[in-house]
Amino acid sequence: MPISRDRLYSIWRITLVSVNVIVVAALVATAVWIRLENDWAKPVDRGPQDAFRHGTIGTEVMPLPVAYVLPDMFPEHFLPGGADAGDWVEQFGFLRDTDPNANQGLPIGFAITNYRPGTGAPSPVEFVGFSCALCHSTRIRENGDQDGTIYYGPGSMSLNLFAWLDAFQSAVLAREPPAGEIADPAKPPPYRLTLASISKAYETKTGKKLGPFERFFIWVWLRQIRARITEGLPRFDEPVGHGQSRDPRITPTGPTRTQPFRTLVRTVLKRPGNDMPVYTKIATVFSEDMRKRAQFDGTIADLYARSSLAALAAGATITNMALPEIANNIRMASDYTSTLRRRAMTTCSRRRPRSVTQRA
């Protein structure tokens, strides 16, 4: 039976009204989202010293709740020396702040922001990245039994960053043990790191539950970081994990060493760079104003350009380095190294002098 013109007209009217309602709802939702985004990330205008120590350079890695629980969830990767060899901070050579409440309990050089990795888009959930102080600070002891003093400017003498990054990637890609003796390549086991496992570990550790925004952004981050690591496997190979990344036969970029030029080849040119066995010690960055060229080999004259390339090699992107706060952090941190002097390096921790009674 043919549909009457009135019936067709009614259907058309209902469809048109429904589409208009959906469009208006989408516009309202977009406006609300934009309004919320404006409150999520408040740019911080840092001075030179603060930018060097605490300012992000665009290297956000993971949400803060994930950073809290990941070492607990994957001790096989983050405690390669065993539980008796100290926690992950000690085993990978990070520097612990003397104030346990500083930097929300994370090591020196970990920057906490409301920027998402790669894009720098605002986020209601805090993310963990790096500042310049992560690599360019070190602890010096006059005697082995001293706590020592942390100096900013020298390259770290303990940091094993590549091993830590390998542990991180191994955790992201870790899968549940296969149900049978032989895993089916067509149906790999599920990933161990999931929103549910993170939520459970976070509640166990902190006694708090993740909120709706935290759960949503962690879910989005998991999809993005796993896709990015997986996309690079044909060029970079899978992470080895299980402490093997601290073996110099497998990962020659051990403590104090890095391969910045290979990283730039991989990041900018999208090439493996495996034929570039050029290892350098983490650079010292002070008295930069006394150098004619910013780069030690004379290839880069401008200090800001050199620092920007260092940020790019550390994981920043062209997109997020264009954000005013991140761009300012790179410039201000560079200015800090320009006037930082060997004898005037500011300390952030010093062994507390003993009292007369203690000396006796």
Side-chain angles (χ1 to χ4, degrees):
M1 181 177 179
I3 303 176
S4 65
R5 293 185 58 186
D6 291 341
R7 178 64 174 169
L8 287 174
Y9 181 74
S10 297
I11 294 174
W12 166 250
R13 292 271 301 180
I14 292 172
T15 303
L16 184 61
V17 170
S18 300
V19 170
N20 287 333
V21 169
I22 294 173
V23 170
V24 171
L27 291 174
V28 171
T30 302
V32 171
W33 185 268
I34 293 174
R35 178 66 183 84
L36 290 173
E37 276 192 332
N38 291 332
D39 295 328
W40 287 343
K42 298 292 186 181
V44 180
D45 187 15
R46 301 181 185 274
Q49 189 178 71
D50 190 34
F52 183 88
R53 294 185 182 184
H54 307 296
T56 173
I57 54 174
T59 55
E60 282 69 20
V61 179
M62 61 182 138
L64 182 60
V66 178
Y68 281 148
V69 302
L70 204 60
D72 299 331
M73 297 176 66
F74 296 91
E76 69 274 25
H77 299 310
F78 287 93
L79 298 179
D84 296 334
D87 63 6
W88 65 273
V89 177
E90 297 175 69
Q91 295 199 27
F92 289 104
F94 295 101
L95 298 180
R96 196 188 310 277
D97 201 297
T98 53
D99 180 1
N101 298 318
N103 207 31
Q104 300 201 38
L106 294 175
I108 292 172
F110 278 67
I112 301 172
T113 75
N114 286 89
Y115 295 123
R116 292 172 59 189
T119 64
S123 166
V125 179
E126 291 178 310
F127 277 79
V128 175
F130 306 134
S131 71
C132 296
L134 181 80
C135 295
H136 303 289
S137 59
T138 198
R139 188 188 303 275
I140 297 178
R141 298 178 176 90
E142 293 183 6
N143 297 302
D145 62 344
Q146 290 184 337
D147 292 339
T149 301
I150 294 176
Y151 288 94
Y152 293 103
S156 174
M157 295 187 294
S158 60
L159 179 63
N160 200 338
L161 183 59
F162 281 84
W164 180 85
L165 289 171
D166 183 85
F168 165 73
Q169 294 182 80
S170 297
V172 171
L173 297 183
R175 293 184 180 273
E176 297 287 354
E181 294 184 1
I182 301 177
D184 183 359
K187 296 180 180 179
Y191 290 109
R192 287 175 55 192
L193 188 66
T194 63
L195 176 59
S197 65
I198 293 170
S199 299
K200 182 179 179 180
Y202 184 78
E203 185 174 357
T204 300
K205 187 178 184 69
T206 66
K208 303 176 183 178
K209 291 186 177 182
L210 294 174
F213 272 132
E214 291 174 316
R215 294 178 62 86
F216 174 75
F217 277 89
I218 289 174
W219 175 78
V220 172
W221 168 79
L222 265 176
R223 293 173 61 88
Q224 292 176 340
I225 189 64
R226 195 164 277 147
R228 189 178 74 182
I229 295 175
T230 303
E231 185 272 334
L233 292 183
R235 290 179 289 142
F236 308 144
D237 295 330
E238 293 194 27
V240 294
H242 299 280
Q244 296 182 75
S245 55
R246 297 203 311 173
D247 186 337
R249 295 170 298 180
I250 297 176
T251 308
T253 46
T256 79
R257 296 189 300 277
T258 182
Q259 287 185 280
F261 302 107
R262 185 185 71 171
T263 303
L264 287 174
V265 167
R266 288 178 165 184
T267 303
V268 179
L269 301 181
K270 305 297 183 183
R271 303 287 296 175
N274 293 334
D275 57 346
M276 298 180 64
V278 181
Y279 307 102
T280 65
K281 292 183 71 66
I282 297 176
T284 58
V285 287
F286 54 85
S287 298
E288 297 288 334
D289 58 340
M290 296 183 180
R291 300 182 182 182
K292 293 183 179 180
R293 309 287 290 185
Q295 183 69 13
F296 72 93
D297 61 358
T299 56
I300 303 174
D302 185 78
L303 180 58
Y304 292 166
R306 199 282 308 273
S307 297
S308 298
L309 286 173
L312 191 66
T317 66
I318 299 297
T319 301
N320 64 17
M321 284 197 298
L323 295 176
E325 179 180 353
I326 295 177
N328 179 72
N329 285 340
I330 294 173
R331 288 192 293 265
M332 290 296 99
S334 300
D335 291 345
Y336 179 65
T337 66
S338 181
T339 57
L340 182 65
R341 296 291 185 252
R342 182 183 62 179
R343 294 181 180 178
M345 292 177 192
T346 306
T347 62
C348 76
S349 70
R350 188 183 298 274
R351 187 180 184 184
R352 186 173 300 171
R354 294 181 295 172
S355 65
V356 174
T357 304
Q358 288 175 316
R359 293 193 188 101

